[in-house]
Amino acid sequence: MNRPTTRHRPALKNKPKPPPIKSHFPNGVVTKHKDSSDMKKSLYSSAKNFCSCLGNAHFLKWRAGDICGVVVHHPVPCVFAASLLFFMAVEYTLRMVPPTAPPFDLGFIVTKNLHRLLESRPTLNTILAGLNTVFVGMQTTYILWTWLMEGRPRATISALFMFTCRGILGYVTQLPLPEGFLGSGADFQVGNVSFFLFYSGHVAASIIASLDMKRMKRWKLSYTFDILNVLQVIRLLSTRGHYTIDLAVGIGAGILFDSLAGKYEDSKKRAASFVASATTYGSFYNSEKERNG
């Protein structure tokens, strides 16, 4: 009998390899999966590195004396930490103001008696508005004087930065006019025109001028501006010309943009110094070249 013969397939030479699988891994190609032992080693190594970092943590080196020393030597950050916890409790337990109700403003509550007084005496309101406009003129005059007459543009640059940012924010979020607003034709802007509420340019410009006075050691003039600024804040709250947050942010804006203007000036001075050094070196190089040539 003839036995059936088995046919053997010839081995394929140069068998094509399947294309690699693209993935999001850093090398872009996955060619081989790690087995479970490699995965365990990787996890163990990661856990070991984490424990090593945790063992070197700074707070583990603290002692009781160090913790007490923080309170003694750094009371201000400790007060901020306590206020953080307090206001977290206030925020998470506070009833939100409904959409139909006017905004809650603590400054309006504190100045309600002054508001009633100015509301009942329009002439007094107009006089105070006129005095406030004079104060705004004083701010503007001083800020421009430092640039045009003294050649110190920092205060002017700061005011330009500040009013540009105020215009952007004031237009992006247009707050409603406070209830009980007492306008006056003598107030700035003169003529009862529309204005941005957030944030107060009156207060910010006064801060910018006062900071410049302090840099120049014009202490009496600076303290005078600070007192007038406080009175201005009280009047703006009493007439409902600004919310409290507008005035508070105005103070911060004055400080912030004065600092930014100072950094801008410093950057320009460094650039000018670099250009001058490069020019001097170029002139020296050319003269040496001509001499040796």
Side-chain angles (χ1 to χ4, degrees), residues 4-274:
T5 58
T6 57
R7 296 181 179 180
H8 297 280
R9 293 183 178 180
L12 295 176
K13 297 181 179 180
N14 299 327
K15 183 179 179 180
K17 297 181 180 179
I21 302 173
K22 299 293 181 180
S23 72
H24 60 275
F25 289 96
N27 58 3
V29 176
V30 176
T31 57
K32 183 179 178 182
H33 290 286
K34 290 184 177 181
D35 56 17
S36 58
S37 61
D38 291 339
M39 190 65 69
K40 288 180 181 179
K41 290 179 181 179
S42 177
L43 292 174
Y44 175 76
S45 177
S46 300
K48 186 177 180 181
N49 292 334
F50 175 76
C51 293
S52 177
C53 293
L54 187 61
N56 295 326
H58 178 65
F59 73 92
L60 293 177
K61 302 174 185 178
W62 292 356
R63 297 172 295 179
D66 297 330
I67 298 174
C68 296
V70 171
V71 179
V72 174
H73 300 290
H74 305 281
V76 174
C78 292
V79 171
F80 287 158
S83 67
L84 168 64
L85 299 176
F86 171 76
F87 284 111
M88 284 177 63
V90 172
E91 181 181 3
Y92 298 153
T93 57
L94 194 66
R95 285 188 177 183
M96 299 291 289
V97 178
T100 56
F104 173 82
D105 195 300
L106 188 60
F108 291 175
I109 296 174
V110 173
T111 58
K112 62 181 180 180
N113 291 330
L114 288 174
H115 178 264
R116 291 173 184 169
L117 175 65
L118 296 176
E119 189 177 26
S120 62
R121 299 185 180 181
T123 304
L124 178 60
N125 181 40
T126 301
I127 293 172
L128 294 179
L131 293 175
N132 204 156
T133 299
V134 172
F135 180 48
V136 172
M138 292 166 59
Q139 302 168 21
T140 306
T141 302
Y142 179 83
I143 290 172
L144 292 176
W145 178 278
T146 58
W147 173 41
L148 298 176
M149 303 303 293
E150 298 179 2
R152 296 185 299 105
R154 176 169 174 171
T156 305
I157 295 171
S158 175
L160 293 175
F161 283 2
M162 182 271 293
F163 279 110
T164 300
C165 185
R166 177 179 179 269
I168 295 171
L169 295 177
Y171 184 79
V172 169
T173 303
Q174 300 179 33
L175 299 174
L177 194 66
E179 186 177 353
F181 170 66
L182 302 176
S184 172
D187 205 351
F188 184 85
Q189 294 86 3
V190 178
N192 269 333
V193 297
S194 60
F195 59 95
F196 292 133
L197 285 165
F198 187 84
Y199 43 83
S200 174
H202 290 66
V203 173
S206 179
I207 292 293
I208 290 171
S210 177
L211 289 173
D212 186 86
M213 294 169 187
K214 290 180 174 66
R215 274 193 300 273
M216 302 305 296
K217 298 182 180 181
R218 297 166 178 168
W219 303 112
K220 292 183 179 179
L221 191 57
S222 171
Y223 295 147
T224 301
F225 263 57
D226 290 339
I227 293 171
L228 292 176
N229 201 11
V230 171
L231 297 176
Q232 175 179 241
V233 167
I234 296 172
R235 178 195 161 261
L236 290 171
L237 286 174
S238 302
T239 59
R240 308 300 186 250
H242 275 290
Y243 294 104
T244 303
I245 192 173
D246 305 331
L247 305 171
V249 174
I251 295 173
I255 298 171
L256 171 64
F257 288 108
D258 178 76
S259 175
L260 292 178
K263 292 180 179 179
Y264 174 81
E265 272 194 331
D266 292 340
S267 68
K268 289 299 180 183
K269 289 177 181 178
R270 286 194 299 269
S273 177
F274 175 78

